[in-house]
Amino acid sequence: MIKSILSGDTPGKPVLSLIIAAIVLCLAFAPFIFPGTRSVDTAARICIIIALVASYDLLLGYTGIVSFAHTMFFGLGAYGVAIASYNMGPGWGAIGLGTLIGVAIAAGLALLIALASLRVRAIFFAMITLAVSSAFGILISQLYTITGGEDGLTYRVPQVLTPAFKLADFRIFDVRLDGKLLAYYLVFAGAAALFLVLLRFVNSPFGRVLQAIRENDFRAEALGFKTVYYRTIASVISAVAAALAGALFAIWLRYTGPDTTLSLDLMIDILVMVVIGGMGTMWGAILGATIFVLAQNYLRDVMATASAATADIPFASDLLHPDRWLFWLGLLFILSVYFFPTGIVGRFRGRAE
């Protein structure tokens, strides 16, 4: 049954399967295993980023399309929920309408970009998507009466998703059963559903054609497959999945702004996570997102502890100062690429083969 749910695409080697299973179980029970606002927020972000990275891997890893517009689709989903909730007030109707509008606009834009640009190859398509994404970011900043501009929008969600809502008077493992817990499991269930749908898609006959196009589009064309058609469908599906992930992010954070959803830094982070986990392996999204988000949130704390422990060694203490966390994060990325050039999942699967 589990193999059927996973579309027959298991992680691979037993060690890799155990690692991924441990991550999924930790995320599934994060509010009870790691109680605390910061740890639960980190777990929710990991869930959302896994879905976002998996949607981008559909483009980059399975279809061979390099795009810099993926955060635009993520932002459309988030802004759809944010604008609707800000203007209509907290309610499921606002969330549903905002999600629907954001997804529809994301699908339409992805279709237009694909039809206009996918005949252009390699770096030229990437530059077009970068230009479109930059123009969209400027538009969001200019339409401040609707989007809040650079300040973004802060809004309310249904009370059932807030800490003020109590599910029960008792506690489980000293964890309050409130609306925040419901919000977390809404995010977890939504991200898991998105991941499983994408996993099913890449293991379908359509997904196999995408991989053939990635390997050699000329041969795929010669076999009778319309490569532009397949790439266009993949772009639209990827954009829809990213927009849905953005909607989950907006529900969880209750704030949407350019820095959190549309920044180029976020786009680069997504690319880094795909590379770390392994391009063309949906399971790589789980490992890449988990490692990267944990490093972003906790590497400074680890370095502060290490710096305090080496206080008597001046050079070591300065080198491990928390302000240098980006240096060590970059070094970790370089080492991961050096030792795992095909990503962590790709390396494990390569050894198995």
Side-chain angles (χ1 to χ4, degrees):
M1 181 180 176
I2 294 178
K3 195 170 183 179
S4 176
I5 293 174
L6 300 179
S7 306
D9 186 1
T10 55
K13 295 189 72 174
V15 174
L16 183 61
S17 299
L18 286 174
I19 293 172
I20 292 177
I23 292 173
V24 173
L25 286 174
C26 286
L27 292 175
F29 299 102
F32 303 101
I33 301 174
F34 311 105
T37 303
R38 183 184 181 187
S39 57
V40 173
D41 180 70
T42 301
R45 287 173 183 268
I46 290 173
C47 293
I48 295 166
I49 296 300
I50 285 173
L52 180 60
V53 171
S55 67
Y56 187 66
D57 195 32
L58 173 62
L59 277 185
L60 181 62
Y62 285 89
T63 316
I65 298 174
V66 181
S67 171
F68 289 104
H70 210 63
T71 51
M72 178 178 71
F73 305 126
F74 181 67
L76 278 167
Y79 269 103
V81 172
I83 294 172
S85 298
Y86 184 80
N87 290 283
M88 297 173 61
W92 293 106
I95 290 177
L97 180 63
T99 301
L100 184 62
I101 292 174
V103 167
I105 295 175
L109 275 176
L111 181 62
L112 288 175
I113 294 172
L115 292 176
S117 310
L118 272 179
R119 294 183 185 276
V120 181
R121 298 187 181 279
I123 191 64
F124 302 103
F125 176 79
M127 296 307 295
I128 290 172
T129 58
L130 179 60
V132 173
S133 179
S134 299
F136 182 78
I138 294 172
L139 180 64
I140 290 294
S141 298
Q142 294 294 325
L143 297 175
Y144 58 89
T145 55
I146 300 174
T147 64
E150 294 293 334
D151 295 329
L153 292 174
T154 301
Y155 45 88
R156 293 182 297 163
V157 295
Q159 187 181 11
V160 71
L161 299 178
T162 65
F165 180 79
K166 292 181 66 176
L167 285 171
D169 293 329
F170 60 88
R171 297 187 176 210
I172 298 178
F173 297 111
D174 203 32
V175 175
R176 293 178 64 240
L177 304 182
D178 56 15
K180 195 69 174 178
L181 187 67
L182 279 180
Y184 176 81
Y185 279 107
L186 173 63
V187 168
F188 176 80
L194 274 174
F195 181 84
L196 291 175
V197 168
L198 289 170
L199 192 65
R200 174 75 67 179
F201 181 76
V202 297
N203 287 286
S204 67
F206 194 98
R208 300 302 183 190
V209 174
L210 293 180
Q211 294 174 58
I213 293 172
R214 175 197 65 193
E215 295 300 325
N216 195 315
D217 57 345
F218 293 107
R219 289 184 180 179
E221 191 84 41
L223 289 172
F225 297 110
K226 297 180 179 179
T227 57
V228 173
Y229 167 79
Y230 282 90
R231 284 174 169 169
T232 300
I233 297 299
S235 298
V236 172
I237 292 174
S238 176
V240 167
L244 289 172
L248 291 175
F249 187 68
I251 293 170
W252 175 256
L253 196 61
R254 290 180 286 174
Y255 165 80
T256 299
D259 291 338
T260 58
T261 58
L262 299 173
S263 67
L264 183 61
D265 290 342
L266 178 59
M267 185 67 247
I268 294 172
D269 291 346
I270 295 169
L271 182 59
V272 168
M273 285 182 269
V274 170
V275 173
I276 291 174
M279 291 187 293
T281 60
M282 279 291 162
W283 298 107
I286 295 178
L287 282 174
T290 302
I291 293 171
F292 194 87
V293 175
L294 286 177
Q296 275 188 326
N297 285 273
Y298 294 104
L299 185 58
R300 287 175 64 95
D301 296 342
V302 172
M303 289 182 61
T305 303
S307 180
T310 57
D312 296 332
I313 311 174
F315 179 75
S317 179
D318 292 340
L319 192 61
L320 294 173
H321 195 278
D323 290 343
R324 294 182 175 82
W325 73 278
L326 277 175
F327 165 76
W328 288 102
L329 184 62
L331 183 62
L332 287 173
F333 174 65
I334 292 171
L335 291 174
S336 68
V337 172
Y338 180 79
F339 289 105
F340 303 96
T342 57
I344 298 173
V345 175
R347 180 64 177 270
F348 273 97
R349 286 185 169 179
R351 284 184 174 181
E353 292 174 0

